[in-house]
């Protein structure tokens, strides 16, 4: 469930908002930032796939040494669809691309999707800015602790904390210097204390948010 990384292994470390199949736009952003794949690391808050034009290319990012990701709810919907042979929920939420592949393409895509079963729900990384915790939607606890048992479903789907924060209520999470989440598309990045919500809806025509941790 948890993956532990040490930031000192890389020159720069970035965290990126939900990618959702927007491979070329992400590559353009990395070029703009002078991202060096031999020295730098990019961490995704999940949702590599669906809605955008290049879900397969985005899944293939998992094979790159310079890329890490946590599991998003869209990866989970795809895995559930494959496990249960029920594609209705995934298709309604952007997974229609899979049905449009040729049979050979589907086999390649299925292999990449199966690799998503190895994605952690939570990444912990110590960088120049302190201890960072990255999860898709929420860390469903008042305090962070490595390897603590928390609800996997809430890590992938929870929006309650963000809703409360944006209405002027709620509290941060202790136990780490920064928490980074995606999942909920916003007009602009939202920060509350040490909580950072960075999905700014790139797939809906807005922009990627990339935050530099070191």
């Amino acid at each position: 469930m948890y993956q532990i990384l040490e930031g000192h292994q890389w020159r720069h470390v970035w965290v990126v908002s939900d990618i959702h199949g927007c491979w070329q736009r992400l590559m353009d952003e990395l070029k703009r930032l002078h991202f060096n794949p031999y020295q730098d690391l990019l961490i995704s808050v999940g949702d590599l796939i669906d809605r955008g034009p290049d879900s397969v290319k985005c899944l293939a990012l998992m094979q790159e040494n310079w890329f890490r990701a946590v599991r998003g709810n869209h990866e989970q919907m795809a895995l559930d669809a494959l496990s249960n042979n029920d594609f209705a929920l995934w298709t309604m939420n952007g997974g229609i691309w899979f049905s449009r592949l040729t049979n050979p393409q589907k086999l390649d895509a299925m292999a990449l999707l199966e690799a998503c079963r190895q994605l952690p729900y939570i990444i912990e990384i110590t960088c120049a800015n302190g201890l960072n915790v990255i999860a898709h939607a929420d860390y469903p606890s008042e305090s962070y602790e490595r390897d603590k048992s928390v609800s996997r479903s809430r890590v992938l789907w929870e929006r309650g904390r963000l809703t409360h924060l944006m209405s002027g209520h709620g509290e941060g999470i202790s136990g780490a210097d920064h928490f980074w989440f995606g999942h909920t598309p916003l007009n602009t990045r939202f920060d509350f204390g040490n909580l950072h919500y960075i999905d700014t809806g790139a797939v809906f025509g807005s922009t990627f948010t990339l935050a530099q941790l070191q």
Side-chain angles (χ1 to χ4, degrees), residues 90-102:
W90 182 31
T91 299
M92 285 189 300
N93 285 279
I96 190 67
W97 61 271
F98 184 77
S99 67
R100 294 171 176 163
L101 300 177
T102 65

Side-chain angles (χ1 to χ4, degrees), residues 118-148:
Q118 304 305 314
L119 289 176
Y121 287 79
I122 296 155
I123 286 177
E124 173 193 310
I125 183 167
T126 302
C127 292
N129 70 337
L131 179 62
N132 295 269
V133 175
I134 297 142
H136 182 58
D138 189 36
Y139 185 78
S141 176
E142 295 179 358
S143 63
Y144 173 76
E145 184 180 333
R146 182 186 295 182
D147 294 331
K148 177 189 283 190

Side-chain angles (χ1 to χ4, degrees), residues 60-126:
L61 291 171
M62 294 186 296
Q63 300 172 333
E64 301 290 346
N65 290 331
W66 51 266
F67 185 83
R68 301 288 188 280
V70 295
R71 185 184 308 215
N73 65 304
H74 280 257
E75 283 79 53
Q76 190 62 54
M77 282 190 287
L79 292 174
D80 291 344
L82 293 173
S83 295
N84 303 327
N85 198 31
D86 182 353
F87 291 80
L89 179 63
W90 182 31
T91 299
M92 285 189 300
N93 285 279
I96 190 67
W97 61 271
F98 184 77
S99 67
R100 294 171 176 163
L101 300 177
T102 65
N103 285 335
Q105 289 172 332
K106 279 184 180 177
L107 291 175
D108 292 340
M110 285 176 66
L112 290 167
L113 287 167
E114 285 296 326
C116 290
R117 297 191 190 278
Q118 304 305 314
L119 289 176
Y121 287 79
I122 296 155
I123 286 177
E124 173 193 310
I125 183 167
T126 302

Side-chain angles (χ1 to χ4, degrees), residues 9-51:
Q9 298 179 36
W10 294 276
R11 181 189 66 161
H12 297 315
V13 178
W14 299 82
V15 59
V16 62
S17 54
D18 301 36
I19 299 172
H20 277 307
C22 297
W23 184 87
Q24 187 57 58
R25 290 189 60 195
L26 177 62
M27 294 303 107
D28 293 343
E29 280 296 300
L30 294 179
K31 182 178 180 180
R32 184 181 67 83
L33 294 170
H34 304 290
F35 183 89
N36 185 332
Y38 299 102
Q39 295 181 290
D40 301 336
L41 177 68
L42 181 68
I43 305 174
S44 163
V45 296
D47 281 2
L48 306 179
I49 60 172
D50 300 343
R51 299 193 173 122

